[in-house]
Amino acid sequence: MNSGGCLGISSMKPCSNILILGKKSSIFGCPFLLRGHSSEYNLSKSQFKFYSSIKANCSHSRKTLGFRRVIDSNRRVFGGSGSNWGQSKVFLADRVKKNGSFGSVVANVASNTRNNSNSVGSRLPENSFENIYIQGGFNVKPLIIERIEESQDLFGNDEAKRKGDEVKVDDGTFLDTDQFSEAEVSEPTLGINVSEVEKEAWELLRGAIVNYCGSPVGTVAATDPADKQPLNYDQVFIRDFVPSALAFLLNGEAEIVKNFLLHTLQLQSWEKTVDCYSPGQGLMPASFKVRSVPLNDRDGEFEDLLDPDFGELAIGRVAPVDSGLWWIILLRSYGKITGDYSLQERVDVQTGIRLILNLCLTDGFDMFPTLLVTDGSCMIDRRMGIHGHPLEIQALFYSALRCSREMLTVNDTTKNLVVAINNRLSALSFHVREYYWVDLKKINEIHRYKTEEYSSDAINKFNIYPDQIPGWLVDWIPESGGYLSGNLQPAHMDFRFFTLGNLWSVISSLSTARQSEGILNLIEEKWDDLVAEMPLKICYPALEHDEWRIITGGDPKNTPWSYHNGGSWPTLTWQFTLACIKMGRPELARKAVAVAEQRLPGDSWPEYYDTKRGRFTGKQARLQQTWTIAGYLTSKMLLRKPEMASMLFWNEDYEVLEKCVCGLKTGRRNCSRLAARSHIVIE
Ligand code: GLC
């Protein structure tokens, strides 16, 4: 393995740059461009050949480059996001090496961070980091740049891998570690003859890989060759990378996923500002870009630059609430599939989990256990009337809480957090199961609701006016089956069917077993509306006329039956597949995958489809959309190896169910949960 070093710079506005320099940096050893996706894409064929040979010369080891804040208070549990720039400057003045040679600088920060999670900290080699601080400008927040020693086992189980042993995975089965022994496997390794369509998909997926300092760190959102204005589709989106990551993991390629998790973790700690306001510390970016920029004074040399977007550049400045939740979910999947749990046990990773949870669990004015968010805070990242308590965020939140419960190291620092997680899981599942569920019976109840009920034993707790039941629903709701509504707030129940939220509720067991069955029954029954000619509708039905104008603000991209407004998104097929496998209905998923397979390659793997039946490629859909491709591959692999799927979903958690922490068992006010227990919570 070549141990070529690397030079990397991470930048962000308004904060400036941080320099990372490995032992054998490209400055000294390998004076060529480090592979960054954007650069590679602009190359002609002959240039590409030349460039490929450069890459070979400049290949990088499996080292992971990391950087983290210096000031430990920035990573304090339940810490605020207040600015401490003054402190930072003093620190920099103290710590930056004056003689210009980049060496180890600070030890106390790492140990401070270790104090946050002592049980794991002691396992990390004390001197394994090379820390460098560079002052890059006026607003720079100091960061530690860590370089992991080459000798450190980055992938866990390395010893076993070298010997070609087996690694025990969680469910007691064993995986052949040869699957994980190569960083870049050029052919799928599941040992099955894949179709031509899958081969094409793999090629495209690999073509979307972005490298940072010579190591793969993610996949860009789209590689549409005809796209002259990529906007931010040339970036690595956290949510978009999830199906890519799963495809790689299921194919035995763990390195890219590990790098992604670690690099995004480091980005989490950055100072982030939107017009002088700093959002919460644990916020994960919506996306990041790798730029290769020429070095000022070094002819022909380039540096790699990491440029995250925390929503401060995004259209509408939407908050990427789902990013952190997806990050936690992916971290758990990585552990489950590779059997390498050492990643989630790392001090910095544990701290990262806690920072995300702190953001989600911080007390506010909320009256409900659901997470309160602004519009466009998830896959639907435009104004679509999903502000408040949208189902998608609740389902991801619930999953992330369940993942964290599995992954957090319990110690004095985390024990209160673990209690908070358990309490929230319990309250959240009750709330969603009881109040979001919609079926014929429930609509009938709402139809006869009394309103303006002031009392603790009100039936219509959220004061939903019967008039809110939309006309389309009356005819649409099947006799059996049902779904979880899109949103619930005072006097507002969004009756639209949102696919991702419903599927993820099935996958995470946020819905009861019976509700989960009901959701799949409804999808089957309403196949022509939700799947038709391309799986799957992002939501149903579309907003039309005045509703469209008022709710979307007249968004010309979100016109009825297009994009987020009732468009069909093939990427959702992998989540459907997972839900179907979990519920013992793989044939349903196969049917959907077959529909997608017929059209996706011929249409160049579009981002989304338009019209009621999903007949046309989306008006402004990108082609070669990575999560369309990865979603297809993941679905195929899951269907072939359903036992792998079981590592990605959750069964009912009876411990959480049994818990009722409100204490309202007797007296004037009754516990709603106990009252409801008989019919909906446990089925
Ligand atoms: C669109 C989608 C969003 C996705 C992004 C990149 O903005 O709404 O969910 O992450 O494109 O593909």
Side-chain angles (χ1 to χ4, degrees):
M1 186 184 293
N2 193 321
S3 62
C6 145
L7 174 69
I9 286 197
S10 313
S11 87
M12 218 214 117
K13 298 156 197 139
C15 295
S16 309
N17 301 340
I18 298 100
L19 200 67
I20 304 174
L21 195 60
K23 266 187 201 150
K24 296 179 191 168
S25 89
S26 50
I27 292 181
F28 308 113
C30 185
F32 296 115
L33 175 71
L34 296 171
R35 181 151 64 122
H37 183 271
S38 48
S39 326
E40 201 170 328
Y41 260 72
N42 296 330
L43 297 177
S44 69
K45 257 193 179 157
S46 58
Q47 279 172 317
F48 186 79
K49 245 185 167 174
F50 172 57
Y51 177 54
S52 303
S53 69
I54 291 172
K55 275 188 296 191
N57 285 340
C58 200
S59 66
H60 293 267
S61 67
R62 281 183 181 178
K63 279 175 302 213
T64 302
L65 297 169
F67 30 87
R68 202 186 322 146
R69 279 181 188 285
V70 166
I71 309 274
D72 191 52
S73 59
N74 285 337
R75 297 183 70 81
R76 194 175 46 203
V77 178
F78 291 99
S81 58
S83 172
N84 43 22
W85 289 3
Q87 224 180 327
S88 317
K89 278 183 211 147
V90 172
F91 186 86
L92 279 169
D94 277 357
R95 304 288 184 179
V96 173
K97 259 206 161 180
K98 301 217 170 63
N99 63 10
S101 70
F102 301 99
S104 168
V105 183
V106 175
N108 68 329
V109 177
S111 57
N112 282 346
T113 307
R114 269 199 293 277
N115 289 341
N116 284 341
S117 181
N118 43 30
S119 68
V120 184
S122 55
R123 286 213 248 144
L124 290 175
E126 281 284 326
N127 300 317
S128 64
F129 300 124
E130 206 175 26
N131 303 323
I132 302 147
Y133 306 104
I134 302 291
Q135 185 167 7
F138 180 69
N139 286 336
V140 174
K141 293 292 279 181
L143 307 173
I144 292 183
I145 289 96
E146 295 174 348
R147 203 166 75 75
I148 297 167
E149 290 284 303
E150 276 161 46
S151 59
Q152 192 175 338
D153 176 2
L154 286 182
F155 284 79
N157 296 311
D158 261 4
E159 203 46 43
K161 271 178 245 162
R162 271 189 293 276
K163 291 181 193 149
D165 288 351
E166 290 172 324
V167 175
K168 188 168 189 290
V169 295
D170 208 52
D171 60 358
T173 59
F174 289 87
L175 295 178
D176 182 351
T177 52
D178 281 340
Q179 278 187 53
F180 307 111
S181 60
E182 278 303 312
E184 293 203 19
V185 185
S186 52
E187 285 293 322
T189 56
L190 287 175
I192 288 161
N193 288 334
V194 291
S195 66
E196 287 307 310
V197 179
E198 279 169 272
K199 277 189 191 149
E200 176 187 323
W202 271 111
E203 213 165 288
L204 290 171
L205 181 61
R206 291 187 197 290
I209 292 177
V210 186
N211 281 259
Y212 177 65
C213 292
S215 302
V217 290
T219 48
V220 287
T223 56
D224 187 341
D227 193 1
K228 299 279 175 287
Q229 266 196 319
L231 292 177
N232 49 359
Y233 283 82
D234 58 357
Q235 306 206 6
V236 181
F237 278 74
I238 309 304
R239 72 175 76 85
D240 292 40
F241 182 65
V242 173
S244 297
L246 294 178
F248 287 125
L249 286 173
L250 291 170
N251 199 39
E253 299 173 61
E255 183 197 9
I256 186 170
V257 183
K258 179 163 190 163
N259 291 343
F260 169 88
L261 288 166
L262 289 174
H263 279 286
T264 44
L265 171 71
Q266 308 300 345
L267 294 175
Q268 178 197 39
S269 301
W270 285 26
E271 177 70 24
K272 347 166 186 320
T273 49
V274 185
D275 293 342
C276 305
Y277 177 72
S278 298
Q281 216 186 318
L283 192 71
M284 281 278 181
S287 60
F288 66 87
K289 189 179 170 91
V290 177
R291 290 182 210 278
S292 285
V293 287
L295 272 169
N296 276 346
D297 47 351
R298 293 194 175 93
D299 200 22
E301 288 176 19
F302 292 80
E303 57 208 2
D304 273 7
L305 198 111
L306 271 187
D307 209 354
D309 175 11
F310 290 94
E312 80 278 15
L313 305 173
I315 297 164
R317 303 295 185 260
V318 285
V321 178
D322 64 338
S323 287
L325 306 174
W326 278 122
W327 184 87
I328 291 179
I329 292 168
L330 184 58
L331 178 65
R332 179 214 184 236
S333 310
Y334 172 89
K336 283 275 185 187
I337 296 177
T338 63
D340 168 17
Y341 293 99
S342 65
L343 181 68
Q344 55 186 250
E345 288 168 359
R346 278 173 56 147
V347 180
D348 50 352
V349 174
Q350 288 277 314
T351 308
I353 300 173
R354 293 209 309 265
L355 286 178
I356 296 168
L357 294 181
N358 291 346
L359 261 187
C360 298
L361 297 172
T362 302
D363 289 338
F365 288 105
D366 302 323
M367 296 298 288
F368 314 133
T370 35
L371 206 57
L372 179 63
V373 297
T374 51
D375 218 342
S377 57
C378 50
M379 177 186 180
I380 297 180
D381 53 2
R382 293 288 183 91
R383 186 174 150 191
M384 267 293 290
I386 56 163
H387 53 278
H389 303 92
L391 178 67
E392 176 176 333
I393 287 288
Q394 312 317 323
L396 294 176
F397 179 35
Y398 182 78
S399 312
L401 288 174
R402 288 198 68 173
C403 294
S404 305
R405 199 157 163 262
E406 285 175 32
M407 295 190 297
L408 270 177
T409 308
V410 184
N411 54 34
D412 282 350
T413 316
T414 57
K415 63 177 192 243
N416 290 342
L417 184 59
V418 172
V419 171
I421 291 173
N422 282 332
N423 291 349
R424 193 62 169 258
L425 275 170
S426 163
L428 183 61
S429 69
F430 169 73
H431 185 88
V432 172
R433 291 169 176 199
E434 180 75 5
Y435 304 126
Y436 278 59
W437 183 248
V438 178
D439 58 9
L440 193 61
K441 180 166 163 268
K442 181 72 168 278
I443 297 172
N444 210 11
E445 268 168 34
I446 298 174
H447 178 65
R448 292 166 53 79
Y449 264 169
K450 287 193 191 66
T451 55
E452 317 289 332
E453 286 182 282
Y454 178 86
S455 76
S456 61
D457 45 1
I459 307 281
N460 180 7
K461 291 197 174 64
F462 304 95
N463 201 32
I464 307 297
Y465 300 108
D467 212 34
Q468 260 185 41
I469 300 172
W472 63 265
L473 185 60
V474 178
D475 300 323
W476 194 73
I477 195 79
E479 285 290 325
S480 69
Y483 65 99
L484 295 166
S485 67
N487 209 331
L488 180 67
Q489 341 202 43
H492 173 69
M493 191 155 181
D494 186 341
F495 287 97
R496 281 175 291 172
F497 174 87
F498 285 86
T499 303
L500 181 49
N502 272 285
L503 292 179
W504 210 257
S505 300
V506 175
I507 293 165
S508 65
S509 280
L510 173 58
S511 43
T512 66
R514 196 182 299 167
Q515 288 174 339
S516 296
E517 264 169 42
I519 291 169
L520 289 192
N521 287 345
L522 178 127
I523 295 178
E524 189 179 23
E525 176 113 10
K526 297 290 166 187
W527 194 262
D528 281 352
D529 291 329
L530 301 175
V531 178
E533 301 188 32
M534 180 53 63
L536 277 143
K537 282 261 169 288
I538 195 166
C539 66
Y540 182 92
L543 299 168
E544 298 187 87
H545 313 296
D546 278 352
E547 233 185 354
W548 163 76
R549 203 177 309 282
I550 293 163
I551 293 178
T552 72
D555 184 347
K557 220 175 155 185
N558 278 325
T559 49
W561 308 107
S562 183
Y563 201 39
H564 303 124
N565 188 12
S568 303
W569 291 66
T571 188
L572 293 169
T573 313
W574 78 266
Q575 337 227 18
F576 181 54
T577 304
L578 195 50
C580 288
I581 295 176
K582 179 186 166 182
M583 299 308 296
R585 307 199 52 189
E587 75 291 345
L588 214 51
R590 267 193 208 102
K591 206 169 127 194
V593 173
V595 172
E597 201 166 35
Q598 255 179 17
R599 293 179 65 199
L600 288 180
D603 294 345
S604 292
W605 309 90
E607 179 187 16
Y608 65 94
Y609 283 78
D610 284 349
T611 75
K612 260 189 184 178
R613 294 186 51 85
R615 287 197 88 177
F616 299 140
T617 303
K619 271 183 292 193
Q620 295 191 44
R622 294 300 191 283
L623 302 183
Q624 295 187 17
Q625 178 81 17
T626 307
W627 69 353
T628 299
I629 298 162
Y632 164 73
L633 286 172
T634 300
S635 307
K636 291 294 272 192
M637 284 191 281
L638 289 175
L639 284 168
R640 240 175 233 141
K641 292 221 154 194
E643 69 279 11
M644 299 299 262
S646 65
M647 297 184 201
L648 303 174
F649 59 68
W650 294 259
N651 290 317
E652 182 70 278
D653 185 333
Y654 290 100
E655 206 184 306
V656 162
L657 263 191
E658 284 307 313
K659 215 173 242 131
C660 175
V661 289
C662 73
L664 296 176
K665 291 197 178 82
T666 49
R668 196 163 62 89
R669 293 184 188 161
N670 293 325
C671 167
S672 322
R673 181 175 185 133
L674 292 177
R677 205 162 257 256
S678 52
H679 70 278
I680 200 124
V681 182
I682 303 175
E683 285 175 336

